[in-house]
Amino acid sequence: MTAVVVVGAGPVGLSAALALRARGLPVVLLEADPKDRARPGSRALFVHRETLALLDGMQPGLAGEITSYGRTWQTKRTLYRGREVYARTFPAPKGPPPFTSLRQVDTERFLRAACERAGVEFVWEARVTEVRTTARGARLTCADGRKWNCSYAVAADGAHSAVRRALGISMEGERGEGFHVVVDVADTPGAELPPERVFHYEHPGVGGRSVMRVPFTGGFQVDLQCRDGDLQEEFGTEEAVRRWLPAVVGEGHGDRILWVSTYHFLRKVAASFTDPHRRVLLVGEAAHLFPPFGARGMNSGIADAAAAADAVVSGVVEPFADVRRSAALFNSEAAGTALDHLRPRRRTVRLRQRAAAALSPVLPWCGEWLEHAPYGPRHGAPVVAGGKY
Ligand SMILES: Cc1cc2nc3c(=O)[nH]c(=O)nc-3n(C[C@H](O)[C@H](O)[C@H](O)COP(=O)(O)OP(=O)(O)OC[C@H]3O[C@@H](n4cnc5c(N)ncnc54)[C@H](O)[C@@H]3O)c2cc1C
């Protein structure tokens, strides 16, 4: 019997495999896709300091590798209808940076190389379709009939988790109205945009929709908040992006678009993070889905992965399931607060934002509030929220 099988080689499954190897356990990682797959887009860009510390605990030096490739910008700016209401430039960090920004595909590249160094056994083109558990272990069956018996399985098979569905565990929560558009644009050599994160409320160039620009290594991501009733073809196709992008970042970037995607706002948490026999542990998007603002998805998924490895080693799964579910509920709530601010349903929220923008030249805390609010409560970092993990 294999000690532990991890299902899914996304950032969370790779982290789980690495964390298990760091604790000395043999690990088989089953991935549905082929070995040479291409993963799309920047997606989760932002890797928090706490996540970097967890990854370094899994393989010393890994955080340094990731941060020396990623970007840490020092300037944050917020604008409201074309006028700056907040700007701050922080000194260069002396020690580990507070975060690093790189495309998810690059984070996965570092994690996969770390797993290979650590001796994780990868099995590609292994799509898990069935799961059975007993008090002694789990049996996973793949679409092609291959079977894997293990003491524990860590399910990191993403938002449409087949493992979760096979166990009959439901997702609880809601799907919000509307969508936002995510665009990756490659830097123009010699004419790179300033390395700063910019949030613009009610940008006049895109009909008063809010826009964020975030740098990553080699380019930048632009997020456009669409309104309820906006059509995908008006904002969310590459052709549509070419139309509105110049108003947001200036001319000359349209032919450097790398990826365009639309993202719906889901706030869902699994009813349980484990099965009744406590042999399968759900982690990452198999267990929770949050809107991206606040960078809670991948970061809290990596915290799940570290906690799952501890639980497997100790053989005590229930506290993992409780603590990480509490963390997910906290993050879901926090993401909801951010969303209320980003897509105000109540007139009073818009009025408060307008008043804060008007007062920011004389009351700097108003500008600070506008700067921080789109990411949700700062209290309880996504990684640690809900308990010691
Ligand atoms: C279009 C898009 C845009 C996004 N934008 C952002 C963003 O802007 N900011 C942000 O923070 N987050 C964003 N996210 C979310 C972020 O990408 C996720 O939080 C992150 O990928 C979760 O990692 P994961 O490892 O849990 O799942 P995934 O990355 O989904 O990995 C799951 C893995 O499991 C494999 N798999 C699936 N089913 C099976 C099976 N049955 N058997 C074996 N393997 C299986 C998949 O092939 C995949 O490799 C975005 C996601 C998408 C799809």
Side-chain angles (χ1 to χ4, degrees), residues 199-212:
F199 188 89
H200 198 141
Y201 288 84
E202 303 192 17
H203 196 304
V206 277
R209 291 166 185 81
S210 295
V211 190
M212 183 165 75

Side-chain angles (χ1 to χ4, degrees), residues 34-48:
K35 186 174 183 182
D36 57 356
R37 67 175 174 172
R39 292 272 274 172
S42 54
R43 303 204 276 165
L45 279 180
F46 198 86
V47 187
H48 286 289

Side-chain angles (χ1 to χ4, degrees), residues 292-332:
F293 278 73
R296 296 167 191 279
M298 187 180 75
N299 284 285
S300 73
I302 292 174
D304 296 339
D310 284 341
V312 163
V313 169
S314 68
V316 186
V317 170
E318 203 140 332
F320 152 84
D322 291 345
V323 168
R324 291 316 301 166
R325 187 162 184 278
S326 302
L329 291 171
F330 173 93
N331 281 319
S332 178

Side-chain angles (χ1 to χ4, degrees), residues 252-270:
H253 299 280
D255 56 353
R256 301 192 66 82
I257 295 172
L258 299 170
W259 179 66
V260 176
S261 176
T262 51
Y263 199 70
H264 292 268
F265 300 109
L266 295 166
R267 285 174 56 214
K268 296 196 175 197
V269 176

Side-chain angles (χ1 to χ4, degrees), residues 338-361:
L339 212 51
D340 286 344
H341 186 82
L342 280 168
R343 306 174 66 81
R345 310 213 143 259
R346 285 168 291 133
R347 213 170 109 76
T348 47
V349 179
R350 271 193 206 285
L351 287 175
R352 274 173 56 203
Q353 291 174 354
R354 193 178 307 165
L359 291 169
S360 62

